[in-house]
């Protein structure tokens, strides 16, 4: 019977039909989605921290307002994704507990510090650019709630990427100091952004199964290659040099070749030893603890309204 259900399930996916919360699904499919969607949600929430660090120091009122709006968008993305994850049978308190305990991961990129205003631009151009490359295919994910959440997320991320590129473009037309700040920032963010797509396909244990289930539509290395091809051309507009001397056009492949990624750095950050790992998790724990009264007040208000409604019905 289990075999028949698996075959029916896979056939439905092969027909490009969406899997919905009440549909039968293999336990492994459910667990994979919970892991991926929760990691994605955590990344949106933790990702507010490095940029929020610059809201009070943005150079103009326009930049301040735009950055505040972006950080607010990231909070909304986290809300969409936590809601999608809950449809798989896990409650939000458990998801936060997993984040705070270190059991659940988030994107390694957010464990790096924002040291200059140019970093806000680099995050928009490179980090959000990599996110878009990875997330647009998720709009066609086989799991309905995740796919639908990603449609709005991707629309907003496209604005974030353009916002970051505009910041860097203005710096590229500025003083020598601003140009130097731009190049220094890109030097620091390029390789961590390249790692955002995850381990090389040969070292990624989940990729092939996720591709079969159509949770993912492209492998990590395919997405990384598309990212390099796009960014190399955009770097010419910004008049910056990507910090990889091995990047060069390969006529036979029709793509840019690029250098070897230092995966030891990636795994070191994933294991909690990055520049800001402890700081990021501590900030989230503090926010959770200090926000307890808000959650309690919201529950009390909801209970009070429910009691009034029940009294009127009676």
């Amino acid at each position: 019977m289990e075999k028949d259900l698996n075959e029916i399930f896979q056939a439905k996916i092969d027909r490009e039909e969406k899997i919905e919360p009440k549909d039968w699904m293999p336990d492994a499919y459910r667990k994979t989605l919970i892991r991926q969607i929760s990691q994605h949600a955590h990344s949106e929430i933790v990702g507010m921290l490095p940029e929020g660090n610059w809201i009070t120091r943005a150079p103009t009122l326009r930049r301040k307002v735009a950055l505040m709006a972006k950080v607010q968008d990231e909070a909304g993305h986290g809300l969409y994704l936590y809601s999608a994850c809950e449809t798989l049978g896990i409650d939000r308190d458990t998801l936060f507990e997993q984040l705070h305990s270190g059991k659940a991961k988030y994107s390694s990129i957010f464990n790096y510090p924002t040291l200059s205003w140019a970093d806000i631009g680099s995050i928009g151009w490179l980090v959000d650019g990599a996110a878009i490359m990875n997330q647009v295919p998720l709009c066609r994910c086989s799991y309905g709630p995740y796919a639908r959440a990603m449609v709005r997320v991707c629309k907003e991320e496209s604005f974030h990427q353009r916002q970051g590129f505009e910041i860097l473009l203005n710096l590229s037309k500025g003083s020598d100091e601003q140009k130097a700040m731009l190049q220094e920032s890109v030097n620091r963010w390029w390789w961590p952004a390249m790692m955002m797509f995850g381990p090389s396909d040969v070292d990624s244990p989940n990729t092939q199964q996720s591709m079969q289930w159509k949770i993912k539509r492209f492998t990590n290395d395919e997405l990384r290659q598309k990212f390099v091809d796009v960014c190399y051309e955009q770097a010419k507009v910004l008049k910056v040099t990507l910090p990889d001397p091995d990047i060069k056009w390969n006529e036979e492949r029709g793509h840019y070749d690029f250098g070897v990624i230092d995966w030891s750095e990636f795994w070191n950050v994933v294991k909690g030893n990055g520049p800001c790992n402890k700081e990021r998790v501590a900030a989230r724990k503090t926010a959770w603890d200090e926000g307890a009264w808000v959650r309690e007040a919201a529950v009390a208000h909801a209970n009070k309204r429910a009691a009034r409604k029940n009294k009127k019905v009676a």
Side-chain angles (χ1 to χ4, degrees):
M1 182 63 179
E2 184 76 14
K3 182 179 180 181
D4 292 340
L5 288 174
N6 277 295
E7 290 176 352
I8 293 170
F9 175 80
Q10 187 62 52
K12 185 174 183 179
I13 287 177
D14 293 341
R15 293 193 302 269
E16 297 291 343
E17 296 179 18
K18 296 298 183 194
I19 306 300
E20 300 297 342
K22 293 184 179 181
D23 294 342
W24 183 90
M25 64 187 75
D27 287 341
Y29 179 82
R30 186 186 303 275
K31 290 178 181 178
T32 296
L33 281 169
I34 289 175
R35 175 185 58 79
Q36 180 170 327
I37 300 174
S38 65
Q39 179 175 316
H40 193 166
H42 297 327
S43 298
E44 297 286 355
I45 298 300
V46 176
M48 298 164 64
L49 298 173
E51 293 180 295
N53 179 45
W54 275 89
I55 288 176
T56 59
R57 294 179 287 165
T60 67
L61 179 60
R62 174 177 176 267
R63 295 297 186 193
K64 189 187 298 289
V65 171
L67 186 55
M68 288 177 66
K70 182 185 179 184
V71 172
Q72 178 177 282
D73 284 348
E74 307 297 358
H77 298 173
L79 176 62
Y80 309 151
L81 293 166
Y82 283 128
S83 296
C85 202
E86 285 180 307
T87 66
L88 291 159
I90 186 169
D91 64 88
R92 199 168 304 190
D93 285 355
T94 299
L95 294 173
F96 282 122
E97 181 183 338
Q98 291 175 350
L99 172 64
H100 299 158
S101 67
K103 181 179 179 180
K105 304 298 182 183
Y106 54 87
S107 180
S108 61
I109 194 75
F110 298 120
N111 289 310
Y112 291 86
T114 44
L115 304 178
S116 71
W117 172 249
D119 285 1
I120 303 304
S122 292
I123 288 175
W125 177 43
L126 296 175
V127 177
D128 292 329
I132 291 170
M133 198 72 68
N134 191 41
Q135 292 172 9
V136 167
L138 291 175
C139 295
R140 296 187 291 126
C141 171
S142 60
Y143 187 59
Y146 192 22
R148 290 188 288 271
M150 291 312 304
V151 172
R152 180 164 182 175
V153 170
C154 287
K155 287 180 179 179
E156 293 178 348
E157 290 289 4
S158 67
F159 283 104
H160 301 169
Q161 194 272 344
R162 279 178 276 178
Q163 176 188 338
F165 189 85
E166 189 218 4
I167 290 173
L168 297 186
L169 187 61
N170 283 351
L171 291 175
S172 74
K173 299 174 182 177
S175 65
D176 290 342
E177 289 81 2
Q178 288 173 317
K179 293 175 182 177
M181 179 172 64
L182 160 59
Q183 183 65 65
E184 190 275 336
S185 178
V186 170
N187 289 348
R188 282 187 289 106
W189 288 96
W190 173 251
W191 289 109
M194 288 280 281
M195 299 174 195
M196 281 182 65
F197 298 98
S200 180
D201 294 342
V202 295
D203 298 318
S204 179
N206 302 308
T207 293
Q208 291 307 314
Q209 183 62 78
S210 291
M211 294 280 287
Q212 180 182 337
W213 283 331
K214 297 187 179 181
I215 295 173
K216 296 180 66 170
R217 297 285 178 155
F218 299 96
T219 70
N220 297 349
D221 287 338
E222 287 173 338
L223 292 169
R224 192 168 9 252
Q225 182 65 69
K226 290 175 65 176
F227 178 71
V228 173
D229 292 346
V230 169
C231 286
Y232 189 86
E233 296 302 320
Q234 292 176 341
K236 294 178 184 178
V237 178
L238 295 174
K239 299 177 182 178
V240 294
T241 302
L242 298 179
D244 181 358
D246 295 324
I247 290 185
K248 60 181 179 180
W249 180 252
N250 186 318
E251 193 67 40
E252 293 183 3
R253 295 177 57 239
H255 295 286
Y256 283 99
D257 292 336
F258 53 91
V260 178
I261 296 173
D262 180 7
W263 289 112
S264 62
E265 176 185 343
F266 173 80
W267 291 116
N268 190 49
V269 175
V270 169
K271 291 176 182 177
N273 301 316
C276 298
N277 288 66
K278 294 180 175 60
E279 178 183 337
R280 300 290 186 241
V281 174
R284 290 309 311 157
K285 288 181 179 178
T286 298
W288 176 260
D289 292 340
E290 292 182 352
W293 70 271
V294 178
R295 298 191 298 276
E296 292 168 1
V299 170
H301 178 66
N303 290 339
K304 190 173 182 179
R305 289 189 64 183
R308 286 177 180 172
K309 185 176 181 179
N310 291 336
K311 187 175 181 180
K312 288 181 179 179
V313 172

